[in-house]
Amino acid sequence: MNNNWGIAIHGGAENKTKKEISEAQQAAYEQGLENALIAGWRVLNDGGSAVDAVEAAVRSMENNRLFNAGKGASLATDQSIEFDAAIMDGKTMKAGAIGGVKHIKNPITLAKTIMQKSKHVMLCATGAEDFAREYELEMKSDQYFWTEEKEKELEEAKKEKDVAGGHDTVGAVALDRNGNLAAATSTGGLVNQLPGRVGDSPIIGSGTYANNEVCAVSCTGDGEGIMRANTAHEVYAHMKYKGLSLKEASQAAMTLYKDRIEGDRNFVAMDKDGNIEFSFETNLMFRACKKGDEPSYVAVWKDEEVAWENEA
Ligand code: ASP
């Protein structure tokens, strides 16, 4: 029995200023985080697995239009919406992932089904959709995901001839009562990305990684940078091979090869002893955690007054 069980989640990291997010919007984000946190925490509290807990937390955010995953996923150049997601079980080191998949209501559940029911780790595009239908996972029409606001966001990004990043990808890490770690990440990618572009989130070791021996990590930020820096696996490697603490390893993974690999790297990480780290270089990270019966911690801004002793 492990008494250090708990869960930590993120709903993305951005460089917005306080003027760009109204009090009402912030309150809505905080509520969304709390709902997701409790969805995952309940699974652990009832004796469920870390895998089921991270799936529950991520599903909750995928069903919330505020976050860039599932229902809230952003638009590519041609207005299509494609999902990337991954889940990893730290006990078995099995993983499931999807890249560039449309129409699936809960991408993280498709990733988990691939992990548990197929011989493969990653399925992409229409093959993944067919697999989802075979397992009767809920599919939605384009209309379910589309909003006028998303279209405006896409137009803005097109005017600036850029992709808009840092947009509320979601993720979770958890340690269950049996000492098992898991990580999950789900995203709609970047606004104005090319159709078919896949980011770091579903790449095991880049955006998502879990290994019971050491830690679990879920990233958000500039996918092109994170996948070249193998950020999630670097947190693991610095702990495993250099003997660093979770905090030190997180700092090292965040800054490694910064001279050659651009873009922001942000992540939530948890080690086998239940320590939690929120590492981010943006102004804000939508984040929350709850350890055992301790009260929930929910925060948005970097300088938030609510102190979290393990924050990098
Ligand atoms: N990392 C995600 C991607 O590149 C985006 C994000 O985290 O906002 O697809």
Side-chain angles (χ1 to χ4, degrees), residues 133-159:
R133 287 196 186 90
E134 195 185 321
Y135 283 90
E136 296 179 355
L137 303 186
E138 198 173 349
M139 309 299 279
K140 292 282 183 190
S141 68
D142 290 338
Q143 220 165 354
Y144 170 82
F145 304 101
W146 184 90
T147 63
E148 221 177 278
E149 207 186 332
K150 289 188 196 180
E151 211 173 283
K152 276 194 200 132
E153 218 177 34
L154 175 63
E155 278 164 27
E156 282 306 309
K158 281 191 172 171
K159 267 188 227 152

Side-chain angles (χ1 to χ4, degrees), residues 166-169 187 189-190 197 199-201 220-223:
H167 262 267
D168 315 339
T169 287
T187 188
L190 306 173
R197 178 256 183 196
D200 61 298
S201 311
T220 176
D222 181 355

Side-chain angles (χ1 to χ4, degrees), residues 285-302:
M285 179 190 242
F286 299 107
R287 59 199 190 279
C289 68
K290 186 168 168 67
K291 286 166 119 180
D293 289 327
E294 289 177 21
S296 310
Y297 164 82
V298 181
V300 174
W301 302 100
K302 189 148 216 155

Side-chain angles (χ1 to χ4, degrees), residues 1-15:
M1 235 2 206
N2 152 56
N3 292 323
N4 297 322
W5 61 278
I7 181 164
I9 65 170
H10 70 76
E14 299 183 27
N15 267 322

Side-chain angles (χ1 to χ4, degrees), residues 60-310:
S60 168
M61 289 184 278
E62 286 175 339
N63 294 341
N64 184 337
R65 199 174 283 298
L66 280 179
F67 300 103
N68 177 15
K71 197 175 193 177
S74 54
L75 302 181
T77 48
D78 62 352
Q79 297 209 7
S80 64
I81 298 180
E82 295 183 343
F83 309 106
D84 296 343
I87 192 162
M88 186 159 182
D89 180 344
K91 180 183 176 189
T92 58
M93 292 185 69
K94 284 188 175 171
I98 59 161
V101 182
K102 294 177 181 163
H103 304 128
I104 177 82
K105 184 180 179 216
N106 290 111
I108 201 63
T109 298
L110 176 52
K112 185 178 135 180
T113 310
I114 291 167
M115 173 173 83
Q116 293 181 337
K117 310 272 187 211
S118 85
K119 290 185 195 135
H120 306 299
V121 170
M122 187 187 278
L123 292 178
C124 293
T126 50
E129 276 189 58
D130 292 345
F131 183 88
R133 287 196 186 90
E134 195 185 321
Y135 283 90
E136 296 179 355
L137 303 186
E138 198 173 349
M139 309 299 279
K140 292 282 183 190
S141 68
D142 290 338
Q143 220 165 354
Y144 170 82
F145 304 101
W146 184 90
T147 63
E148 221 177 278
E149 207 186 332
K150 289 188 196 180
E151 211 173 283
K152 276 194 200 132
E153 218 177 34
L154 175 63
E155 278 164 27
E156 282 306 309
K158 281 191 172 171
K159 267 188 227 152
E160 290 172 23
K161 293 196 169 56
D162 203 359
V163 286
H167 262 267
D168 315 339
T169 287
V170 308
V173 289
L175 177 66
D176 65 31
R177 289 175 187 266
N178 293 316
N180 296 313
L181 283 163
T185 313
S186 179
T187 188
L190 306 173
V191 180
N192 203 28
Q193 68 181 12
L194 287 176
R197 178 256 183 196
V198 172
D200 61 298
S201 311
I203 298 178
I204 302 305
S206 290
T208 308
Y209 191 71
N211 183 334
N212 268 10
E213 211 188 302
V214 180
C215 65
V217 184
S218 167
C219 298
T220 176
D222 181 355
E224 274 65 18
I226 293 171
M227 73 174 99
R228 284 149 63 215
N230 279 298
T231 304
H233 193 266
E234 284 294 351
V235 178
Y236 159 85
H238 278 79
M239 292 183 76
K240 165 102 179 151
Y241 302 114
K242 281 199 154 179
L244 300 188
S245 68
L246 180 70
K247 195 182 192 69
E248 292 163 343
S250 297
Q251 196 57 37
M254 237 167 109
T255 50
L256 194 69
Y257 301 121
K258 266 286 177 191
D259 53 334
R260 279 172 282 167
I261 303 177
E262 72 291 347
D264 57 287
R265 302 173 198 168
N266 319 290
F267 53 86
V268 55
M270 190 166 191
D271 70 15
K272 65 176 176 27
D273 300 318
N275 296 305
I276 293 167
E277 200 65 34
F278 295 105
S279 288
F280 56 107
E281 41 187 331
T282 46
N283 294 347
L284 70 83
M285 179 190 242
F286 299 107
R287 59 199 190 279
C289 68
K290 186 168 168 67
K291 286 166 119 180
D293 289 327
E294 289 177 21
S296 310
Y297 164 82
V298 181
V300 174
W301 302 100
K302 189 148 216 155
D303 60 0
E304 199 114 343
E305 278 172 24
V306 209
W308 173 252
E309 55 175 24
N310 289 323

